[in-house]
């Protein structure tokens, strides 16, 4: 990598792991490193060392789990807010990198970064309205509308938290009370990887029971239906660790068609073939988030906020 300049850095900061990458001026990734999410000091310190070893760095983009203050100029900009992740509430994930690396740092939510990555380089290319849903340890949605990411109320302090919407929960079919520490049986509390682990006693990647995946498909299809009728995106990409199971997306598509019930003028495509184009997996695989973080860096102004 000697002689290559400038580099652009990206971090997908997740609750389980941080994925760090450096890319060239065109956004092509040159090197990556995965750092397990432990304490803030240890995790941020390891990420700083990764980028220090790969200079010169022009800018850094971060897509982080949250909730997080993404309003530039806010007194709490860059701070993770009331997260259930132990030890991470009120942690500043921007200032340590600015201080250590001396470069502009741009921040967004992890799902908005993944949506941006897929929109720039993957399944959302060429679309005006596009949504990325992650179903992993948690559940979230990032939305791109006409080249802009949706941040929401108070200019981003209360960014969309789609994982906490309410969906129908039949306690006879599913007596599990939900895993969300705030709401119990919201979408994340019923359909996240953590919910599956608590409900069934083992993680999703070790789950082969067809009834478990039928229930999971029900909840994800309900979520996609709400997203579709609320925003009418041209495509919905479903990523995250839970969504990797090969049975999930086909079952979601079939259930979504049934839920739409032929509603006149519905944005849900008619027929299985069209549905395969509407609800898809991420073209970038596990790299959607870090690719979007690199794009944040590439769009950074020459000076930090």
């Amino acid at each position: 990598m000697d002689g290559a300049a400038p580099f652009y850095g990206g971090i997908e900061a997740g609750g389980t792991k941080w994925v760090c990458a450096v890319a060239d001026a065109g956004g092509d990734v040159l090197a990556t490193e995965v750092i397990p999410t432990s304490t803030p000091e240890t995790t941020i310190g390891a990420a700083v060392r990764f980028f220090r070893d790969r200079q010169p760095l022009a800018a850094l983009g971060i897509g982080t789990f949250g909730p997080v203050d993404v309003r530039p100029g806010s007194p709490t900009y860059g701070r993770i807010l009331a997260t259930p992740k132990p030890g991470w509430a009120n942690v500043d994930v921007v200032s340590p990198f600015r201080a250590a690396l001396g470069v502009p740092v741009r921040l967004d939510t992890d799902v908005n970064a993944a949506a941006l990555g897929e929109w720039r380089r993957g399944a959302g290319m060429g679309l005006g309205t596009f949504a990325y849903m992650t179903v992993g340890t948690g559940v979230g949605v990032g939305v791109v509308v006409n080249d802009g990411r949706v941040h929401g109320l108070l200019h981003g302090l209360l960014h969309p938290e789609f994982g906490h919407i309410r969906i129908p929960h039949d306690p006879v079919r599913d007596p599990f009370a939900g895993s969300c520490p705030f709401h119990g049986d919201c979408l994340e509390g019923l359909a996240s990887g953590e919910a599956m682990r608590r409900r069934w006693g083992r993680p999703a990647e070790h789950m082969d029971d067809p009834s478990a995946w039928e229930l999971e498909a029900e909840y994800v299809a309900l979520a996609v239906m709400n997203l579709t009728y609320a925003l009418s995106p041209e495509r919905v990409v479903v990523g995250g660790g839970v969504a990797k199971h090969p049975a999930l997306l086909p079952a979601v598509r079939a259930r979504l068609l049934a839920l739409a019930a032929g509603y006149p003028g519905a944005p849900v495509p008619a027929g299985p073939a069209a549905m395969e184009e509407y609800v898809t997996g991420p073209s970038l695989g596990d790299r959607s988030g870090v690719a979007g973080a690199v794009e944040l860096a590439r769009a950074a102004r020459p000076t930090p906020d």
Side-chain angles (χ1 to χ4, degrees), residues 71-273:
R71 301 173 300 160
S74 165
T76 57
Y77 173 68
R79 289 189 176 273
I80 295 175
L81 305 175
T83 177
K85 179 71 175 175
W88 283 85
N90 202 39
V91 169
D92 186 343
V93 296
V94 168
S95 297
F97 291 100
R98 282 182 173 167
L101 302 175
V103 299
V105 179
R106 290 295 176 270
L107 177 74
D108 211 327
T109 65
D110 51 359
V111 287
N112 265 356
L116 178 61
E118 288 289 331
W119 185 73
R120 292 280 192 193
R121 293 175 170 268
M125 290 179 65
L127 301 180
T129 305
F130 167 74
Y132 180 99
M133 176 186 293
T134 182
V135 186
T137 304
V139 177
V141 169
V143 178
V144 177
V145 179
N146 296 328
D147 199 17
R149 299 177 308 283
V150 175
H151 288 120
L153 190 63
L154 297 180
H155 306 289
L157 176 60
L158 300 177
H159 51 75
E161 286 282 2
F162 191 81
H164 296 275
I165 67 168
R166 296 292 188 173
I167 57 173
H169 177 207
D170 180 354
V172 175
R173 180 184 181 186
D174 178 20
F176 178 61
S179 64
C180 177
F182 298 99
H183 309 122
D185 62 350
C186 60
L187 172 61
E188 183 170 289
L190 292 173
S192 65
E194 178 63 13
M196 292 192 75
R197 185 188 68 80
R198 293 192 191 184
R199 180 190 287 108
W200 303 108
R202 55 190 182 279
E205 58 265 31
H206 300 310
M207 178 68 60
D208 293 322
D209 185 347
S211 64
W213 289 105
E214 181 183 1
L215 181 64
E216 180 69 8
E218 175 76 11
Y219 291 141
V220 175
L222 286 165
V224 174
M225 183 177 183
N226 287 336
L227 180 63
T228 295
Y229 284 125
L231 296 178
S232 192
E234 294 171 71
R235 179 169 295 149
V236 178
V237 168
V238 183
V242 173
K244 291 180 180 179
H245 192 281
L248 183 62
L249 286 189
V252 168
R253 295 182 189 114
R255 185 63 183 132
L256 185 56
L257 278 174
L259 288 168
Y263 177 66
V268 177

